[in-house]
Each structure stands twice: as structure tokens, then as C-alpha cells.
Amino acid sequence: MYMACKFRKILNIFLIFVMMIFTGCVNVEKEITSEISKESNMNKILFFATILHNYQEEKYTDSDIMYYFVVLNDGTIWTMDSNYRSDNYEFVKKFSGHDDSAWETADHLENIGSLSPEDTQKLSEYISGINYDSKDYDRLRDDGCEPDVIESVYYDYSCCILDDKSKWFSIMNTGANQGISYKTYDENALSALNLVINNQLYIDWTEKIN
């Protein structure tokens, strides 16, 4: 009788343990799904950067991949990528068009951390202070030619346009070898850019990709 009671007690503990495991897994899955769904609202994006490798550079075998570094208005940072020359070009089109379903088609979507509350506030203030009609530099327009050197890595930096959430404001396009091809002269936009690219999360991201 004693052994039977002891066995039932052990069995009950085991069943409770199993139920806790499965319940925990379901809850975690729901939290992750909810988080991704919640953060996929394109209107929450403050700033994003992209990296693209040139197919002419032999050391890169991923020239068909566009890498994204995205900062939301709560400071959280997401990274993702997309093969823009194949069937997942859909993501690039949707992201460019501010389609909320864009991130559902992204590859390797990952939340890698957040800006500090202070930097998040500064970034918001910089972007809200941008003059979209400010003067800019365009190499082809102003210089008429490109440097005679093969580019290896292209970097693009953009932010949201608060007055029209269906468009992006281009801050700078530059390359690892050829240098700047486009840049706005707006001080707030450049301050926003410097805040992000000097953040350790961005630095680590670029080192991982390149």
C-alpha cells in the first residue's frame, strides 16, 4: 500500500512537470510571435541602414543579399536580410513601400538589442527636426563622374518622413572604396546618422556581415 501511494505521488509530480514544460513552450512561442507581429508596423521605424556587397569583389559570395539594420521608435533594433534577386524580392518591395506585411517575408529576422533611452530620445528629436528641403550633395550631379575604383560594399542610410509615412528620407549613400555618392547637408539628419553608426550594436553588425 505504501509503495502504491509513493508511486502515485511520483507519477503526479512527473505529470505536473511535463505539463509545465509544454505550457511554458506554448507561452514562449506566443510571446515571440506576438512580439514580431507587434513590431512589424512600418510606422514605428525611425531609421534604417542597408548593406550590399558587390558581386565583382571575389571575397563576397552574397552579393544577392540585402542586409537591414532597423531602429524602431521605442529604441529596439531589428536586423534581417533578403535575397533581392530571387523569389524574396517581395520583401524589398514591401519594405520600400511601407507595407506592414514586409517583415513576414524577411529572412533571419532578429531583435539584437536596443538603444539607450537617452539615445532613443535624441534620435527621435533629430529626425523630427530634419528639413526635407535641405541642400544635398550628389556626386554624379555635382562632379559628373565616379571614382575609377571598383566598389566592394555599398551602405545606405535612411529615416522616416514624419509628414508622409509612405516615404523614406535618404540621408547618405556611400561605399567602402568610392566614398560618398549622396549626402544630405541637414545637420539633424547627419546627427541621427552619427548616433546610429557609432552605436556598438551597429558596429558589431557591420563587422559580422563584412
Side-chain angles (χ1 to χ4, degrees):
M1 184 71 176
Y2 171 77
M3 292 300 296
C5 291
K6 186 174 182 180
F7 176 77
R8 283 197 297 270
K9 183 176 181 181
I10 294 174
L11 180 61
N12 287 337
I13 293 174
F14 175 76
L15 291 174
I16 292 172
F17 179 73
V18 171
M19 290 176 65
M20 288 175 65
I21 291 177
F22 281 102
T23 303
C25 289
V26 172
N27 287 341
V28 169
E29 183 179 357
K30 284 183 178 179
E31 287 175 8
I32 292 174
T33 303
S34 175
E35 184 180 24
I36 292 176
S37 175
K38 177 183 177 182
E39 304 300 356
S40 63
N41 187 331
M42 299 294 284
N43 287 339
K44 295 183 179 180
I45 297 177
L46 278 182
F47 179 102
F48 75 93
T50 63
I51 291 179
L52 179 66
H53 295 144
N54 192 341
Y55 72 94
Q56 293 176 289
E57 186 66 54
E58 293 183 358
K59 69 177 181 178
Y60 293 124
T61 59
D62 58 349
S63 59
D64 55 350
I65 303 296
M66 182 81 78
Y67 297 95
Y68 286 76
F69 182 96
V70 179
V71 183
L72 303 186
N73 57 13
D74 62 357
T76 56
I77 297 172
W78 291 81
T79 60
M80 65 213 74
D81 57 72
S82 172
N83 188 325
Y84 73 98
R85 291 179 179 167
S86 69
D87 54 353
N88 204 22
Y89 180 63
E90 178 184 7
F91 169 77
V92 178
K93 292 189 295 183
K94 285 185 174 183
F95 191 96
S96 298
H98 291 252
D99 188 329
D100 285 346
S101 66
W103 287 8
E104 296 175 7
T105 62
D107 294 327
H108 308 116
L109 180 66
E110 181 181 5
N111 175 210
I112 63 169
S114 302
L115 297 178
S116 68
E118 294 77 15
D119 281 349
T120 302
Q121 180 64 29
K122 286 182 181 178
L123 184 62
S124 297
E125 291 174 356
Y126 289 145
I127 292 176
S128 64
I130 292 175
N131 174 12
Y132 305 123
D133 296 321
S134 57
K135 294 182 179 180
D136 55 26
Y137 164 77
D138 184 304
R139 183 164 58 203
L140 290 179
R141 180 194 67 201
D142 300 335
D143 299 340
C145 64
E146 294 184 349
D148 187 18
V149 59
I150 295 177
E151 187 54 82
S152 59
V153 186
Y154 300 96
Y155 300 93
D156 287 349
Y157 306 97
S158 301
C159 66
C160 67
I161 293 182
L162 298 178
D163 297 336
D164 187 348
K165 292 295 183 69
S166 66
K167 297 179 181 178
W168 302 113
F169 179 76
S170 180
I171 298 175
M172 185 167 70
N173 309 140
T174 187
N177 303 327
Q178 293 183 346
I180 297 171
S181 58
Y182 173 84
K183 181 179 75 171
T184 178
Y185 287 130
D186 183 87
E187 293 184 1
N188 281 305
L190 296 177
S191 293
L193 171 63
N194 289 328
L195 185 152
V196 174
I197 65 176
N198 288 317
N199 183 274
Q200 191 61 47
L201 290 172
Y202 176 83
I203 294 171
D204 292 343
W205 176 72
T206 57
E207 291 179 350
K208 177 182 177 181
I209 294 173
N210 293 331

